Amino acid sequence: NFCEIWGFHTIAPHTDMSLKYTNTKVDEKVALVPTILQCITCDVRCMTYSMSFFGWDQIGGLRVNSNNTIPSLVAASGTVLGEILVWGAVSDETKGDRFNSNVKVEKGLNETAQKWVSSIVGTEAGAGRTFESSKMRVGPSHRLKGHLGSIYSLKFWKNGIYIASGSDDRSVRLWKLTALENRDRENTNLQNDIKDKGDFIIDSQSFHSYTLIWTGWGHTARVWDIAFASSPSNADPRCDSLPILISAGEDSTARLWSPLTSEKEITYPLRGHRCESVWSVDACEGIIITGGNEGCVKLWDLKSRVRTFRTRTAFDNLKSSMVNLPVPKDKLVQSDSTPTPNQEKEFYSHTFDKYVHQTDSKSSTKIKKKIAQKKKNNSKGQIICGIEFFSDRNGEMANKLLIATRAGGCFSLNLLLQSWEIHNNWDQFVFSFDDAKIMDLDPSTGSCIGVHPSGERVLVGTTVGWIVIASLSKNGDTQKFAFSCPSYRPAQSISWIDCVNFLVFYACGAVIWWQLDSAARLSAPKVLHIMTLGTSGIPLCHAFDSARNNMFIGDSRGNIAFFNLNRALASGDSQDTARNPDKILSRVHDKEHVTGITILVKSGVVLSVGNDGCMHQSRLDHGDLRKLIRIPIPNVTGLRHVWNVRQPNGDESAVIGGYYGNDFVVFDSILGYEFLRISTGGRQRRQDLFFGFANNSRKNSFLYGAAVVVGHKDGSNSINFHFSHQFNDDISDFGCIWQKQDINEFYSIGHSVHSERVNDACWVDCGQSTYLLTGSNDCLVKLSKFENDQFICVAELPPHESCVRGVCSSCHKDSSVSLLVTCGGKLSMEFYLLDHQTTEMSDHCTASINSNVSFLCSYRTLAKSTIDHRMNIVRAIPLLPADSRCHLCLAGDSDGLLHIVVISELGNSRGTTIGNLFSDSGRPVLCIDLLRCYDRILAFVGTTSGDISVWNFPGTVAVKDGNCGLNCLKGVMPHRPIFVFKAHHAGVNDLSVGSSPMSSTPMNFCIYICSVSDDQTISICTLYISVYSSQLCLKRSCLTVLQCASDSPLNSIKLVLDQSTFHQIYVSGHDEQISLFKLVTIEDGQPQIKFVSSSPLGTDGSCLACFHFTKQGMPSRLIAAVGGEGVEILSLDFDIIHAAKVLTEANYLLITAGAGFSADSGLITYEDMPVEYRDFCDPSSLIDEPVKFQQFWIEFSRTYLYTTPHRGYNILDEWCKRTISSLRSNIESLDCPAYL
């Protein structure tokens, strides 16, 4: 529970060392030397988890008082016991105690700083300096108690009057410095005293104390960090005194509070990090910045987040984003006619016909009575049958809302004026095209509406199959027409495609495409297509590709039907003929409603969302719709909408709308940015939503409106209209919507890889594109695209039930697809296909909406497995011949069993596969590597016992009738390993295998088995193999062990055999370093291991993957990906590695240099020398002009003396120290010491 005060001074000469605490800009070439000045310890000994300071300028640096003394510094520390200690880290030494002049202050920072300055004034940089720092113990001035757990964050605010704290008791608290009772004499001067000096807080414990004034509950886990932010409005001066408090917690959210005005959160939590914890939060100039443990920084716009908060004392200038508008009452229409018995029977037939034929007359009577009673109850209130936003501005953004009722009412709401317009009843004086007469239509049969794109008319669908066309124009047109398609009812929904074409969805499982005759206004619409789904579901949504004339329809049973309408026209069938879909994807959304479909134009991917909370991707492949991948969407319980949004760079992405409880949320599926969150009160309410992006330079500005119907006890209805901020300013100019610095475009800094430890990684080469496949303890598998030396996009595969322990890939030579394999908990393996050709075509498409990854099948064991049973590692290798498109996969589990599976790229209809089990040693398998040797595959298996076993599996397959499995392997399956050796005294954490031919005979080769373990050793077993009659024969083996290869346990190893330079071994471990070793091979001799170099890492190196990256016009280099707490990418240039190898092995080092060697230090060369330089190089000028001669060379020498040499001098110096001998040249400009 202490703090240290440090001072910094420069090492540049001729620096003013006087005591000045100012904001001087230090030259980048000038180094800063730190010195500890004072250590202040609080008397209360306790483990401190957080600390905050007040008194010094947090941004501009240290400011001095008028009397040239250091101002006071107050420290607040949060302890593990839930107590906050406020104490003086630096006190004002000029006055002693404010209220007790007899108390003497110990030697303070001001005196210490003077001694420190005196110790360095007049001395050369880094020479002869002696200084002794001071120590000080102080007692706490205030002790704040109230938290029930450890305090992880503290912040001062408002000149130290307020202290905010966050704890692991899930609360956020605010404390205020107030005057004690009977001490009001000090309360009046509280603001002025603290504004001038922080020492008032330290000295005023007898008159003032911090009091808990507010507690915020909302986080469901620990609160890690808090921050204060100023009010987002400057219009009201009262807002400056009302802070916004932001907290970040372990529940992966950041929350906003107004502690002085509200006990609850002022807006919905900020959810965007896909990780367990949001560790840090800060705010600056209206921008909230949050950092999560997945390695990403998210930016949020504060003003748009608090727009819904409004009180009487503050934020009056912010308009509310929700208004409640009562729906007008239905007009009472007198009618002499009543429904005929046939009409009433027709109305009720769709409800109880299925019961009439299955029950007796008595039960039928009961059903009729119940329906009649329900009708009677409903007649007391207003029932809305349809609600939809529309525009009367020729296709611009919606500016009106239309509502139709089951009493025939039709009302439109002007969103700008928030006023209602009452139209003629849609059910009165309707002309029937079918019967050519005015029909008596029951308005209680209304079920749905669809507004024309021009806003001039509306279609109203009924449960009896009639579709009514009603006018909404103000030109006096009151005509209404009705049409129907016999035997198709009831109408479920209506959707317009363009101004003349529309779709009607029927509950009987059909969708009819109708077309209006634009020339003849009084003619009946004609049927273009009748599309029947052929499933038990009800059609709910659609997507139409006008370029290819393809229709995709989703139903209520999780199915997606595909219709190629060009084939229907080419077949010559009648337009009234119902046609079945060309393809049905069954149970895409697990028997849940498919609620939204859209098409990505560039990649051709069909995206669908449903009530199962997942986004499904499918694609047309040569006219056949096939499934790709199904991705669960976090933080939602049901999805309702999906929009295809084009990014500023031309990429396409999906914006998804769904429910989180009763809240409707719209967010970007790639970045996780939450555009809006509104409370609907329940997903079963009638509601509609429009949402759009700007169409000008502000690519990511957005506008939204949502209307939710609220029913009241008296039978009336009202509309809760939610709208974006400044909606009323100018709805037609979408780009004028306020958006702070296009915050959405810069919302995410960095790419999220994983929020927990990365267990395995592998590179996937797709020709021009390269991907990194990673698996982590967060149950996720991600495919990251590596381009221009960085990851530019990330694709997420479906998560596992438990942690992902192993990932791998396999690809046939010159193949267009790669097999991706993942494994993890419950002994599961998942197989995917990565399409190279699609990858090349969609290099600039966003990988999160990828068209190149498709699900192949899953592996499940026949025996029941638990969450503790897991696959620890998996590796795959292609089988011969290549046209078989088969791969062999081998996985090891925690029970010591090997699972072998043969996978075909063609997949199977079941979607699952099985394999065989082999027992190794009974100890858990930790690592596996596979190596092809002619027509056999050697598997190398490392276990927790430190043993490595070698298995011999068949490497060719014979496909029978298109089926591929273990029974198709050519050769005998092994029953036991062919070779076992003891590699380590602890478990084998990782191994890597390579083969090299022997020069003596072509049929002989060596296999190098490299492994690492917790025993800090590198083990290399060399197997000498000969081939006789297609049989592998082990001639002999030898074991090489490098002891103490690291100071800590080693986790991963990778062997790279390179004949052009040297054989390389890369290892990483808990010492957070990656080390390079050289493998020296000797013909018929034991190999040797030599250390080459090492580089520090920011992770423990739990996995390691290497890849030779070749770019056109550039030399080949090796890219190493090291996984742990994140992924680090290292680039290794072989030219540099080779040069380092030569330098390391050199006996002599000859260095030559010219005048240009000093140019990188900033010195001028001959070409830039002044004219006087050549004149004064002549010694005779010393006689002719002695004064000018001496002045010139003095200044010239001083320039060389005071110029800091560049790093090259130090590098050469280090090289010379490491070499045995060196020869020194007398060439100018090289000032490097010689070693003989």
Side-chain angles (χ1 to χ4, degrees):
N1 199 14
F2 70 95
C3 68
E4 295 177 345
I5 309 296
W6 291 73
F8 293 85
H9 69 277
T10 63
I11 62 173
H14 306 292
T15 303
D16 186 5
M17 294 297 180
S18 59
L19 182 57
K20 292 182 180 179
Y21 305 99
T22 58
N23 300 328
T24 57
K25 184 176 180 181
V26 181
D27 191 350
E28 295 180 356
K29 296 183 179 180
V30 177
L32 292 177
V33 178
T35 304
I36 181 171
L37 303 180
Q38 192 174 52
C39 178
I40 304 99
T41 305
C42 184
D43 279 339
V44 180
R45 299 187 60 184
C46 185
M47 186 177 296
T48 301
Y49 277 4
S50 58
M51 187 172 289
S52 180
F53 295 95
F54 163 72
W56 292 356
D57 189 353
Q58 301 295 326
I59 300 177
L62 182 59
R63 303 290 183 180
V64 297
N65 293 331
S66 58
N67 55 0
N68 201 29
T69 60
I70 300 176
S72 301
L73 180 67
V74 182
S77 54
T79 67
V80 70
L81 301 178
E83 187 179 19
I84 301 175
L85 305 176
V86 181
W87 45 285
V90 178
S91 61
D92 192 339
E93 308 160 26
T94 62
K95 55 171 181 52
D97 188 270
R98 176 186 294 267
F99 302 106
N100 189 356
S101 58
N102 296 326
V103 178
K104 295 183 179 180
V105 180
E106 302 178 24
K107 182 178 68 173
L109 181 60
N110 191 59
E111 181 182 351
T112 304
Q114 292 287 354
K115 292 184 178 181
W116 167 61
V117 173
S118 300
S119 67
I120 59 178
V121 171
T123 61
E124 294 184 2
R129 186 182 304 111
T130 59
F131 174 76
E132 182 179 356
S133 61
S134 63
K135 297 182 179 180
M136 196 174 192
R137 298 187 67 88
V138 297
S141 300
H142 305 275
R143 305 183 72 158
L144 287 59
K145 297 182 180 181
H147 280 289
L148 303 179
S150 302
I151 299 173
Y152 292 108
S153 181
L154 289 170
K155 287 293 187 299
F156 279 102
W157 184 73
K158 200 64 176 179
N159 295 326
I161 298 178
Y162 295 96
I163 297 178
S165 57
S167 169
D168 65 355
D169 63 1
R170 301 173 299 168
S171 70
V172 182
R173 300 175 188 248
L174 187 68
W175 313 76
K176 182 179 181 181
L177 185 64
T178 57
L180 298 175
E181 295 181 1
N182 302 324
R183 301 301 179 106
D184 293 337
R185 63 184 180 89
E186 293 295 332
N187 193 30
T188 57
N189 297 326
L190 182 62
Q191 291 283 351
N192 295 330
D193 285 333
I194 297 179
K195 185 176 182 180
D196 294 336
K197 298 179 181 179
D199 59 281
F200 180 84
I201 300 175
I202 306 172
D203 301 333
S204 64
Q205 65 268 29
S206 301
F207 298 91
H208 298 83
S209 67
Y210 280 97
T211 306
L212 179 64
I213 62 172
W214 174 86
T215 302
W217 298 96
H219 284 281
T220 58
R222 302 172 184 175
V223 180
W224 291 125
D225 196 14
I226 55 178
F228 281 103
S230 300
S231 168
S233 175
N234 297 323
D236 192 344
R238 295 173 296 176
C239 297
D240 295 336
S241 60
L242 297 176
I244 299 295
L245 184 60
I246 312 165
S247 59
E250 198 177 20
D251 55 358
S252 189
T253 66
R255 299 173 186 260
L256 277 67
W257 317 80
S258 180
L260 300 184
T261 57
S262 175
E263 296 181 357
K264 299 181 179 180
E265 301 172 55
I266 62 175
T267 186
Y268 292 98
L270 307 183
R271 305 177 188 271
H273 290 275
R274 304 191 65 178
C275 59
E276 288 185 350
S277 294
V278 179
W279 278 345
S280 58
V281 63
D282 204 350
C284 180
E285 296 183 359
I287 301 298
I288 302 173
I289 306 171
T290 59
N293 67 339
E294 89 278 33
C296 284
V297 173
K298 305 291 185 181
L299 282 74
W300 313 80
D301 172 37
L302 177 61
K303 185 173 182 178
S304 63
R305 294 291 159 177
V306 300
R307 62 179 178 266
T308 60
F309 180 57
R310 183 177 183 180
T311 66
R312 293 184 178 180
T313 58
F315 303 105
D316 291 336
N317 59 306
L318 295 180
K319 300 177 182 178
S320 174
S321 62
M322 193 275 288
V323 294
N324 183 270
L325 302 171
V327 178
K329 295 182 179 180
D330 295 311
K331 292 188 294 186
L332 296 177
V333 180
Q334 300 294 334
S335 177
D336 297 334
S337 61
T338 58
T340 63
N342 292 333
Q343 289 176 328
E344 187 160 356
K345 180 180 178 181
E346 186 179 16
F347 168 61
Y348 287 114
S349 62
H350 70 279
T351 304
F352 61 81
D353 272 354
K354 59 181 180 181
Y355 299 103
V356 171
H357 302 291
Q358 300 176 7
T359 59
D360 54 15
S361 59
K362 184 176 181 180
S363 59
S364 299
T365 303
K366 291 182 179 179
I367 294 173
K368 293 179 180 180
K369 288 183 177 180
K370 289 182 179 180
I371 297 175
Q373 181 67 28
K374 184 176 181 181
K375 178 182 177 183
K376 181 179 179 180
N377 295 336
N378 291 339
S379 63
K380 295 181 180 180
Q382 184 185 60
I383 301 177
I384 295 178
C385 64
I387 177 173
E388 184 174 337
F389 286 102
F390 71 98
S391 173
D392 59 358
R393 298 183 179 182
N394 299 324
E396 292 184 1
M397 187 61 67
N399 62 347
K400 288 188 176 183
L401 175 70
L402 183 71
I403 289 179
T405 69
R406 287 190 174 179
C410 191
F411 318 104
S412 62
L413 172 66
N414 189 311
L415 301 180
L416 300 177
L417 303 178
Q418 296 183 0
S419 61
W420 290 96
E421 180 182 351
I422 301 177
H423 303 275
N424 294 322
N425 282 21
W426 60 267
D427 65 317
Q428 298 297 316
F429 307 105
V430 179
F431 179 81
S432 172
F433 285 120
D434 297 353
D435 301 331
K437 66 178 183 179
I438 300 296
M439 62 181 300
D440 189 6
L441 187 64
D442 186 357
S444 62
T445 62
S447 58
C448 57
I449 65 173
V451 184
H452 191 270
S454 66
E456 297 179 353
R457 67 185 81 175
V458 60
L459 301 179
V460 182
T462 65
T463 57
V464 293
W466 289 103
I467 308 297
V468 179
I469 306 177
S471 175
L472 299 177
S473 63
K474 300 180 181 179
N475 56 9
D477 185 5
T478 61
Q479 292 180 331
K480 291 177 279 292
F481 308 95
F483 60 93
S484 65
C485 187
S487 71
Y488 288 97
R489 61 181 183 182
Q492 187 76 14
S493 61
I494 300 174
S495 178
W496 286 87
I497 297 178
D498 51 37
C499 292
V500 296
N501 297 285
F502 60 92
L503 300 177
V504 179
F505 297 77
Y506 294 92
C508 60
V511 178
I512 299 182
W513 183 320
W514 298 83
Q515 186 179 69
L516 296 174
D517 190 347
S518 58
R521 181 177 177 81
L522 299 180
S523 62
K526 62 179 180 180
V527 176
L528 287 186
H529 305 282
I530 299 179
M531 296 166 282
T532 59
L533 302 185
T535 65
S536 58
I538 300 174
L540 300 177
C541 58
H542 82 287
F544 178 61
D545 186 356
S546 58
R548 302 173 181 83
N549 215 16
N550 293 329
M551 180 71 70
F552 304 90
I553 300 175
D555 68 7
S556 61
R557 303 294 290 175
N559 307 310
I560 296 179
F562 161 63
F563 297 86
N564 188 320
L565 302 182
N566 289 328
R567 297 177 185 175
L569 298 176
S571 63
D573 295 338
S574 173
Q575 294 178 343
D576 295 337
T577 303
R579 61 185 306 269
N580 295 323
D582 296 276
K583 177 71 175 183
I584 295 180
L585 294 182
S586 302
R587 299 184 179 181
V588 173
H589 291 276
D590 290 340
K591 294 186 177 181
E592 297 287 346
H593 289 193
V594 182
T595 55
I597 302 178
T598 189
I599 304 173
L600 300 183
V601 179
K602 292 182 64 175
S603 58
V605 175
V606 179
L607 300 180
S608 62
V609 296
N611 282 344
D612 60 346
C614 296
M615 181 177 65
H616 187 275
Q617 302 177 18
S618 55
R619 186 180 67 221
L620 280 176
D621 187 6
H622 302 290
D624 182 26
L625 185 66
R626 65 184 184 91
K627 299 179 182 179
L628 290 182
I629 199 170
R630 180 170 174 262
I631 302 176
I633 303 299
N635 298 330
V636 289
T637 54
L639 300 175
R640 291 295 297 272
H641 299 277
V642 57
W643 296 272
N644 176 15
V645 178
R646 188 174 297 275
Q647 299 290 347
N649 59 358
D651 293 345
E652 293 175 308
S653 62
V655 173
I656 297 177
Y659 286 95
Y660 184 82
N662 288 333
D663 296 339
F664 190 82
V665 187
V666 178
F667 57 95
D668 191 305
S669 63
I670 301 173
L671 301 177
Y673 184 83
E674 186 176 295
F675 293 100
L676 69 103
R677 178 183 290 260
I678 58 177
S679 178
T680 62
R683 66 178 65 186
Q684 301 302 326
R685 291 181 172 178
R686 285 274 187 180
Q687 52 193 273
D688 193 23
L689 172 82
F690 72 85
F691 181 83
F693 287 86
N695 50 13
N696 58 9
S697 59
R698 290 190 172 185
K699 300 292 184 181
N700 285 334
S701 298
F702 63 93
L703 180 71
Y704 73 89
V708 181
V709 178
V710 180
H712 301 285
K713 292 182 179 180
D714 59 357
S716 62
N717 293 291
S718 62
I719 299 296
N720 283 342
F721 176 47
H722 305 261
F723 52 91
S724 54
H725 185 60
Q726 294 186 351
F727 180 88
N728 293 336
D729 289 350
D730 190 352
I731 195 171
S732 62
D733 187 4
F734 200 3
C736 291
I737 300 174
W738 182 90
Q739 193 66 31
K740 179 72 173 181
Q741 296 295 326
D742 293 338
I743 192 65
N744 301 344
E745 184 173 353
F746 308 103
Y747 159 72
S748 186
I749 300 177
H751 293 283
S752 172
V753 182
H754 292 281
S755 59
E756 293 190 29
R757 180 186 176 94
V758 178
N759 293 320
D760 201 7
C762 73
W763 290 99
V764 184
D765 185 13
C766 298
Q768 295 182 3
S769 300
T770 304
Y771 284 82
L772 180 67
L773 186 68
T774 55
S776 169
N777 283 340
D778 59 4
C779 307
L780 298 179
V781 180
K782 295 195 175 183
L783 190 67
S784 305
K785 186 178 180 182
F786 185 73
E787 189 173 85
N788 297 327
D789 292 344
Q790 62 179 348
F791 290 113
I792 61 173
C793 49
V794 177
E796 184 176 309
L797 303 184
H800 281 242
E801 292 185 59
S802 182
C803 62
V804 179
R805 302 288 296 181
V807 297
C808 68
S809 66
S810 175
C811 180
H812 285 280
K813 186 177 181 180
D814 299 328
S815 176
S816 60
V817 295
S818 291
L819 176 70
L820 308 181
V821 190
T822 67
C823 71
K826 300 189 72 172
L827 301 181
S828 64
M829 280 194 290
E830 309 292 334
F831 302 91
Y832 303 88
L833 285 182
L834 176 64
D835 192 337
H836 300 183
Q837 293 180 346
T838 309
T839 304
E840 302 298 337
M841 292 187 298
S842 59
D843 270 345
H844 300 288
C845 292
T846 307
S848 293
I849 311 298
N850 60 82
S851 61
N852 51 339
V853 178
S854 59
F855 175 75
L856 189 61
C857 61
S858 299
Y859 170 82
R860 296 292 185 270
T861 57
L862 299 178
K864 186 177 180 180
S865 58
T866 65
I867 201 70
D868 294 329
H869 296 161
R870 61 178 182 268
M871 298 284 194
N872 287 329
I873 191 66
V874 64
R875 291 296 181 262
I877 192 170
L879 292 170
L880 297 178
D883 56 5
S884 67
R885 302 178 65 182
C886 294
H887 305 261
L888 185 140
C889 300
L890 185 65
D893 65 18
S894 55
D895 293 334
L897 298 177
L898 297 177
H899 303 249
I900 183 171
V901 185
V902 174
I903 295 296
S904 173
E905 297 175 3
L906 302 178
N908 56 60
S909 58
R910 301 186 308 272
T912 59
T913 186
I914 58 175
N916 279 2
L917 299 179
F918 294 88
S919 178
D920 191 60
S921 61
R923 301 293 296 273
V925 178
L926 297 180
C927 51
I928 293 176
D929 204 359
L930 301 178
L931 180 66
R932 170 167 291 281
C933 295
Y934 295 94
D935 61 346
R936 306 294 294 183
I937 293 177
L938 297 182
F940 305 85
V941 181
T943 65
T944 57
S945 63
D947 296 338
I948 296 179
S949 58
V950 183
W951 294 73
N952 187 2
F953 292 103
T956 58
V957 65
V959 180
K960 302 176 182 178
D961 300 328
N963 297 322
C964 184
L966 289 173
N967 58 338
C968 299
L969 289 175
K970 292 183 179 180
V972 180
M973 297 293 290
H975 298 284
R976 62 180 64 87
I978 61 174
F979 182 69
V980 179
F981 65 95
K982 187 75 172 182
H984 299 277
H985 297 291
V988 182
N989 291 333
D990 194 17
L991 62 86
S992 181
V993 180
S995 64
S996 177
M998 300 178 63
S999 58
S1000 57
T1001 56
M1003 300 303 291
N1004 296 341
F1005 58 92
C1006 295
I1007 297 179
Y1008 303 101
I1009 310 171
C1010 305
S1011 59
V1012 291
S1013 173
D1014 287 347
D1015 58 6
Q1016 306 174 13
T1017 62
I1018 299 177
S1019 174
I1020 299 181
C1021 181
T1022 306
L1023 304 181
Y1024 297 89
I1025 305 294
S1026 297
V1027 181
Y1028 297 102
S1029 302
S1030 300
Q1031 297 292 326
L1032 301 179
C1033 300
L1034 177 60
K1035 296 173 58 178
R1036 64 186 182 91
S1037 64
C1038 64
L1039 183 65
T1040 303
V1041 178
L1042 178 62
Q1043 301 287 346
C1044 300
S1046 174
D1047 296 332
S1048 61
L1050 296 173
N1051 293 332
S1052 55
I1053 186 171
K1054 184 62 64 176
L1055 172 64
V1056 178
L1057 299 179
D1058 191 345
Q1059 302 293 342
S1060 60
T1061 55
F1062 61 91
H1063 300 327
Q1064 306 135 34
I1065 301 176
Y1066 300 90
V1067 297
S1068 62
H1070 287 286
D1071 59 352
E1072 297 187 352
Q1073 285 192 349
I1074 180 172
S1075 300
L1076 171 61
F1077 293 86
K1078 176 184 178 182
L1079 175 62
V1080 181
T1081 60
I1082 303 175
E1083 187 76 17
D1084 295 331
Q1086 189 168 355
Q1088 299 178 1
I1089 308 173
K1090 293 185 178 181
F1091 174 79
V1092 177
S1093 179
S1094 63
S1095 177
L1097 298 171
T1099 182
D1100 58 357
S1102 59
C1103 57
L1104 178 62
C1106 296
F1107 175 74
H1108 278 282
F1109 189 80
T1110 304
K1111 192 173 183 180
Q1112 187 176 6
M1114 297 181 64
S1116 174
R1117 55 185 176 140
L1118 186 134
I1119 305 295
V1122 185
E1125 296 296 332
V1127 176
E1128 280 198 31
I1129 305 297
L1130 296 92
S1131 175
L1132 305 175
D1133 192 327
F1134 285 104
D1135 293 336
I1136 298 178
I1137 293 177
H1138 185 67
K1141 169 178 171 289
V1142 173
L1143 287 173
T1144 303
E1145 299 176 351
N1147 293 328
Y1148 296 92
L1149 182 61
L1150 177 63
I1151 302 173
T1152 62
F1157 189 74
S1158 60
D1160 290 338
S1161 300
L1163 297 175
I1164 58 177
T1165 57
Y1166 288 122
E1167 293 80 2
D1168 300 325
M1169 286 291 181
V1171 179
E1172 295 84 358
Y1173 176 79
R1174 299 184 182 276
D1175 297 336
F1176 290 121
C1177 284
D1178 186 358
S1180 62
S1181 59
L1182 176 61
I1183 301 175
D1184 300 334
E1185 299 177 287
V1187 176
K1188 292 184 178 180
F1189 182 90
Q1190 294 178 11
Q1191 288 179 347
F1192 176 82
W1193 286 111
I1194 288 175
E1195 292 296 330
F1196 195 87
S1197 303
R1198 184 176 297 172
T1199 302
Y1200 274 78
L1201 288 174
Y1202 294 157
T1203 298
T1204 303
H1206 60 73
R1207 291 186 63 250
Y1209 287 90
N1210 296 330
I1211 294 174
L1212 290 177
D1213 191 18
E1214 292 295 326
W1215 288 356
C1216 291
K1217 290 178 182 179
R1218 295 178 183 178
T1219 55
I1220 298 177
S1221 300
S1222 66
L1223 299 178
R1224 184 182 179 187
S1225 157
N1226 60 355
I1227 299 178
E1228 56 189 337
S1229 298
L1230 183 61
D1231 187 12
C1232 186
Y1235 299 89
L1236 301 179

